[in-house]
Amino acid sequence: MFLRYCQPLPLLLLLQLPSHAQTPDTARTVRLPEATVVGYGQNLPLRRTAAGVSVLDATVIDRFNQTSLTQAVNTLPGVRLEERATASYRLSVRGSTLRSPFGVRNVKLYYNDIPFTEASGSSPLNLLDPATIGRIEVIKGPAGSVYGAGTGGAVLLSTRRPVAGESQAQVGFTAGSFGLRRYTVTTETGSATANLRAQYTRQTLDGYRQNSAVRRDVLTLDGEFTPSEQQTISVHALYTDLDYQIPGSLTRAQFEQNPRQARPTVGTQLGTVDQRAGYASRSALLGVTHDYRFSSRWSNKTTLYASGTTIKTPFLTDLERNTSLGWGGRSVFGYRAALAGRLLRLSAGGEFQNSFENSRNYQNRRGTPGTLRYDDEISTSVGFGFAQADWELPANFLLTAGASLNGLRYQIARVSDAAARPDSFAFRRNFQPVVSPRVALLKEITPRISAYASVSSGFSPPSEEEIRPSDGSLNRDLKAERGTSYELGTRGSLFHKRLTFDVAAFDFRLKQTIVTRTTETGVNVFFNSGSTRQRGVEAAVSGWLWRPILSTFARGTFTPSANILPNSLRAWASYAYNHFRFRDYQQGDQNYSGNRLTGTAPHTLSAGLDFNQDLGFYLQPSLSHQAQIPLNDANTVYAAGYWTFATRAGWRRVLGGKLEMDIYAGLENATDRRYSLGNDLNAFGQRYFQPAPGRNWYSGVQLGWRW
């Protein structure tokens, strides 16, 4: 942590650093690493990857308040992470949030090579603490065919790693607005053949809104061992105890009157406070990865995992108690050979996931279970196989071709009907295997600039929550989405590597698009809308306004990275333009063809500065913008666009080569802008709005001792 993590961006800098054996007039050259894309298994540099891929590392995550990943993730163009209530996330990649009224769907998540997306199709992102995450890689759209079914892409999360030959222990404390209290304890050690890291985080918050408090305890254990030159074994364990309240959505009048209120009681319909709406879960995940290199040509990486979760969720009318177990694995073989005198890289493998869930739904009597409504046993199996080839061609061309074959099966038994129906109520839904191909061609124009074109196809079956919403109904007619994406892009660096850029344009055509609406009781139900066309442009740029040429580093006090240099000022920005439209969408007598896609902003922008001074002082102001978005399919109701401003400042230092210190303070939503984030779409009763926190601050300290 602190300044040890190098930012993996496509930027190679040559810095002049002092050496103990040199005079002030001489220097040694240090070459900083370029981003490597691990998502396709070939570990190629980002500039040689023919796909829309974005990468974040710990230095970007640490730029913002670590209570949430939202601000860091939203620095990526085309990626939006929203927090509807404290610790309630939803994520979209090059798409709308139509399918994600809550939770993360249609985006496949991995945690240290472990499938983090459940077999049911949902990803519990709220189980993770930002301080444990050291790297985020996002593969956008259906280009992530090596990760199976999905049109929204894949997100690869990696925890932070100890430095080889170094051990350290750290403690941290943060306090802030709305009752924020955050405690962290970390210990880690690394050597040439092994590393081990353990971290515990406890976070509590009273919340900006009424009925929005949260408590989260996260314990992680990560180890990697290299028993021989041929093999590496990794073990990752995660345990999370999470409890948060749900304030609920508001009408526009309620939002404008008092955005801090929870959904109130109206007539006989109790509000979220009276019904003690909330979410409580305990989850555990254990995964083991074995990486074996048979020879210089052959390799294999195999991951096995198991997980377990208990959930209690009281809401407006019902209370759910769920217990689930999941298990599965993933295995990938790699092979290198020569074809026509040119390097050919091959990879092939498969993944399988299975889960069993017992879900019981009761009437909610002010937070306690009432009459049993239904009791379901749900078995889910999902699997796919994939293959990919990368062939180095003459004239610095790279050809990539791949495909995956995906299948999914749900089986739901309503055991609460067993008395009236001895054979019980059984529901089965099979989505037959579907091939999702991808082909791409990349050209290295110069050693620093490349351009690519790709065509990829995706298949995205409904998640369990879409097949079986919380009102107990079973959707027999919901179909899988199918889409094809066409993409052109270029990335590289200019002006002696002072400026890096990444620009992509895409045209994504989706059939059987799944959309949602909310019933009177707050239940989200889903149906197919026809087709959509989603065209857009994404751009990310970063550059040094000034940076050191000759070192002024104080020995042992500053570790350089591609993002953090002493006496430097770096500017960064990302922008996305989305022209997303319904193509043929008829609902009853209403024709929504040509309307803007619900829940999607046409423009998003994130930008900021990174200033670092060689005595350890730093300042990181940033801004974020989202244009107005339609809240219903008819495009008659919109959420206003907004600008927000934030900043973080502090002092980092390593004293005596042993004591690490980071004292910091931050301000968010500096102008106290009133806006809604994570809106409810097509909401019953015009309850669209989920108010975001107003102006708030935080400050803290992190101390570490290394040896």
Side-chain angles (χ1 to χ4, degrees):
M1 281 140 4
F2 292 105
L3 307 177
R4 302 188 283 108
Y5 293 89
C6 292
Q7 168 76 348
L9 292 175
L11 181 62
L12 297 177
L13 301 177
L14 297 180
L15 302 178
Q16 305 298 321
L17 304 180
S19 170
H20 294 293
Q22 294 170 336
T23 67
D25 296 327
T26 62
R28 60 185 174 90
T29 300
V30 174
R31 182 183 175 94
L32 295 178
E34 182 179 3
T36 298
V37 174
V38 301
Y40 291 106
Q42 309 294 6
N43 294 326
L44 292 173
L46 179 59
R47 62 179 171 80
R48 302 198 69 238
T49 302
V53 179
S54 294
V55 179
L56 290 181
D57 82 336
T59 60
V60 179
I61 297 172
D62 293 344
R63 183 186 290 147
F64 304 101
N65 190 348
Q66 290 195 354
T67 59
S68 170
L69 283 170
T70 303
Q71 292 176 295
V73 171
N74 287 344
T75 63
L76 301 177
V79 183
R80 298 297 295 173
L81 180 62
E82 298 177 341
E83 197 168 6
R84 301 175 64 247
T86 306
S88 177
Y89 298 104
R90 67 184 185 191
L91 175 70
S92 65
V93 180
R94 283 190 178 173
S96 71
T97 51
L98 287 176
R99 292 183 60 179
S100 301
F102 55 89
V104 178
R105 302 174 194 166
N106 195 35
V107 179
K108 191 72 177 289
L109 268 67
Y110 287 79
Y111 176 78
N112 292 315
D113 295 322
I114 303 167
F116 195 70
T117 297
E118 300 167 346
S120 65
S122 292
S123 303
L125 191 58
N126 52 14
L127 301 184
L128 303 177
D129 185 84
T132 67
I133 304 301
R135 190 175 191 273
I136 302 175
E137 181 176 313
V138 181
I139 302 174
K140 303 174 185 178
S145 59
V146 295
Y147 297 102
T151 57
V155 178
L156 313 181
L157 305 166
S158 302
T159 50
R160 307 192 184 206
R161 293 171 55 89
V163 174
E166 184 176 295
S167 300
Q168 74 167 346
Q170 290 182 330
V171 294
F173 173 72
T174 303
S177 300
F178 316 126
L180 171 65
R181 296 294 183 272
R182 179 179 168 84
Y183 312 85
T184 60
V185 179
T186 307
T187 182
E188 62 184 30
T189 183
S191 69
T193 59
N195 63 72
L196 184 66
R197 185 177 193 274
Q199 179 169 308
Y200 169 73
T201 304
R202 179 180 179 86
Q203 180 174 308
T204 60
L205 182 70
D206 296 335
Y208 169 72
R209 297 180 61 192
Q210 186 183 19
N211 204 64
S212 63
V214 63
R215 175 193 56 78
R216 180 171 60 193
D217 294 271
V218 181
L219 177 63
T220 60
L221 179 63
D222 304 295
E224 184 175 281
F225 313 93
T226 307
S228 69
E229 293 183 357
Q230 288 75 35
Q231 59 181 323
T232 302
I233 300 173
S234 303
V235 180
H236 302 280
L238 168 70
Y239 175 77
T240 303
D241 186 349
L242 176 64
D243 191 342
Y244 65 85
Q245 298 174 321
I246 300 175
S249 53
L250 303 176
T251 65
R252 188 182 296 276
Q254 293 166 344
F255 172 58
E256 293 175 349
Q257 177 193 24
N258 178 16
R260 302 191 65 170
Q261 66 179 309
R263 176 172 171 170
T265 294
V266 178
T268 59
Q269 179 66 60
L270 297 180
T272 54
V273 175
D274 291 331
Q275 286 291 64
R276 300 181 181 178
Y279 177 96
S281 71
R282 293 182 178 180
S283 303
L285 173 69
L286 176 63
V288 178
T289 298
H290 183 242
D291 193 341
Y292 194 85
R293 294 163 291 282
F294 300 97
S295 67
S296 60
R297 292 176 178 264
W298 284 98
S299 64
N300 172 262
K301 178 182 283 190
T302 298
T303 300
L304 300 175
Y305 81 95
S307 64
T309 303
T310 62
I311 299 174
K312 177 184 176 182
T313 308
F315 199 53
L316 292 175
T317 60
D318 60 348
L319 185 151
E320 292 186 31
R321 286 182 177 271
N322 299 336
T323 302
S324 64
L325 295 173
W327 60 93
R330 175 182 176 88
S331 185
V332 184
F333 285 90
Y335 179 71
R336 289 171 173 254
L339 179 63
R342 296 287 175 173
L343 177 62
L344 176 67
R345 292 178 290 265
L346 301 174
S347 63
E351 182 177 309
F352 176 77
Q353 290 181 269
N354 197 294
S355 68
F356 175 81
E357 178 182 354
N358 179 220
S359 178
R360 290 154 291 162
N361 186 287
Y362 304 84
Q363 291 181 348
N364 182 15
R365 296 180 176 175
R366 298 181 182 270
T368 59
T371 304
L372 178 67
R373 298 179 60 196
Y374 56 85
D375 185 350
D376 288 348
E377 293 181 348
I378 307 163
S379 297
T380 306
S381 298
V382 59
F384 63 91
F386 64 91
Q388 179 169 298
D390 291 284
W391 190 20
E392 302 280 358
L393 299 176
N396 294 320
F397 280 96
L398 174 64
L399 177 65
T400 300
S404 64
L405 181 66
N406 309 276
L408 172 65
R409 182 185 67 193
Y410 295 113
Q411 183 171 309
I412 303 173
R414 182 147 294 171
V415 297
S416 53
D417 289 349
R421 301 173 57 184
D423 58 346
S424 77
F425 177 79
F427 173 85
R428 293 180 177 83
R429 190 75 190 273
N430 290 318
F431 293 89
Q432 297 301 319
V434 174
V435 176
S436 297
R438 172 177 177 263
V439 63
L441 183 65
L442 178 139
K443 164 67 174 176
E444 284 193 87
I445 302 172
T446 73
R448 299 177 185 175
I449 299 175
S450 64
Y452 67 89
S454 71
V455 180
S456 55
S457 178
F459 161 76
S460 181
S463 67
E464 176 199 313
E465 289 84 355
E466 293 164 336
I467 292 286
R468 177 189 163 276
S470 58
D471 64 355
S473 62
L474 296 171
N475 196 331
R476 299 175 179 272
D477 301 321
L478 197 61
K479 299 179 177 60
E481 295 180 332
R482 294 292 304 272
T484 301
S485 178
Y486 306 88
E487 182 173 349
L488 296 173
T490 181
R491 53 172 63 101
S493 62
L494 297 169
F495 309 120
H496 302 288
K497 306 172 188 177
R498 288 183 174 269
L499 177 71
T500 65
F501 65 92
D502 192 337
V503 181
F506 63 92
D507 185 348
F508 181 40
R509 305 175 187 187
L510 188 64
K511 298 179 180 179
Q512 300 296 343
T513 305
I514 296 175
V515 297
T516 182
R517 63 178 176 83
T518 306
T519 67
E520 180 179 4
T521 58
V523 174
N524 295 100
V525 294
F526 303 85
F527 53 94
N528 297 103
S529 67
S531 63
T532 60
R533 187 171 184 182
Q534 299 164 213
R535 291 174 287 181
V537 176
E538 300 165 353
V541 62
S542 65
W544 300 97
L545 302 182
W546 78 73
R547 69 182 187 196
I549 298 177
L550 294 177
S551 172
T552 57
F553 299 145
R555 293 186 184 123
T557 64
F558 210 103
T559 302
S561 79
N563 240 11
I564 301 177
L565 302 177
N567 283 339
S568 66
L569 179 63
R570 176 178 175 269
W572 57 270
S574 66
Y575 168 77
Y577 168 69
N578 300 315
H579 188 274
F580 293 178
R581 297 292 187 270
F582 291 110
R583 295 189 66 186
D584 53 344
Y585 179 15
Q586 185 81 29
Q587 186 180 27
D589 59 352
Q590 300 294 320
N591 187 350
Y592 299 138
S593 301
N595 284 8
R596 288 174 51 183
L597 212 59
T598 317
T600 301
H603 307 278
T604 60
L605 172 68
S606 183
L609 297 172
D610 292 327
F611 169 74
N612 293 280
Q613 194 263 350
D614 63 352
L615 294 179
F617 295 100
Y618 61 90
L619 178 66
Q620 297 167 320
S622 62
L623 63 85
S624 178
H625 168 65
Q626 178 176 283
Q628 67 172 3
I629 63 173
L631 299 178
N632 60 1
D633 297 343
N635 289 184
T636 57
V637 182
Y638 283 78
Y642 60 86
W643 291 83
T644 61
F645 300 87
T647 190
R648 179 185 175 107
W651 180 66
R652 294 187 184 100
R653 198 71 172 178
V654 180
L655 303 177
K658 299 292 185 181
L659 178 63
E660 293 184 339
M661 182 179 299
D662 188 0
I663 303 173
Y664 56 86
L667 181 66
E668 298 180 331
N669 194 4
T671 60
D672 202 21
R673 179 74 163 96
R674 182 177 294 186
Y675 67 100
S676 176
L677 184 65
N679 306 281
D680 285 8
L681 307 179
N682 295 313
F684 183 87
Q686 307 289 306
R687 298 186 184 92
Y688 298 104
F689 301 96
Q690 297 275 2
R695 182 189 297 114
N696 63 95
W697 63 270
Y698 63 92
S699 63
V701 60
Q702 186 164 280
L703 301 175
W705 183 265
R706 65 189 188 190
W707 63 93

